[in-house]
Amino acid sequence: LNIEGMAEAGDKYACVCLGYMYDDGNGVNQNHSKAKEWFRKAAEQGDVDAQFNLGEMYFLGRGVNRNFSTAVEWYRKAA
């Protein structure tokens, strides 16, 4: 399986990896909305890196509407 196939099958580490790839535009066209989707899939499985990255996205308004309270929620989950 490729990384996208693994992520679609629910592998949280593959989801985080795809999140980083889309967030940075590494190997794919940069797309913050897709990055958020992949980070969220991993975050909902308890991945702290993904939870922190979602917090950053909401804090900075990158790929989402800026929302400090949602950012804090994700930061707390990652802590």
Side-chain angles (χ1 to χ4, degrees):
L1 286 174
N2 63 25
I3 191 158
E4 193 166 348
M6 292 170 63
E8 288 173 359
D11 184 296
K12 72 179 180 178
Y13 301 108
C15 290
V16 172
C17 189
L18 273 179
Y20 280 121
M21 289 171 69
Y22 279 109
D23 201 29
D24 298 334
N26 186 5
V28 294
N29 290 327
Q30 189 174 45
N31 185 324
H32 296 300
S33 294
K34 283 188 178 183
K36 180 203 65 158
E37 291 173 23
W38 289 114
F39 284 141
R40 182 176 294 278
K41 287 178 188 268
E44 289 171 350
Q45 294 181 60
D47 187 276
V48 295
D49 290 328
Q51 291 168 343
F52 178 82
N53 283 308
L54 276 175
E56 285 287 281
M57 294 184 91
Y58 280 101
F59 182 79
L60 299 170
R62 193 174 65 232
V64 296
N65 291 325
R66 188 177 228 181
N67 186 319
F68 295 123
S69 61
T70 302
V72 169
E73 288 176 31
W74 284 111
Y75 287 142
R76 285 187 175 150
K77 288 180 183 183

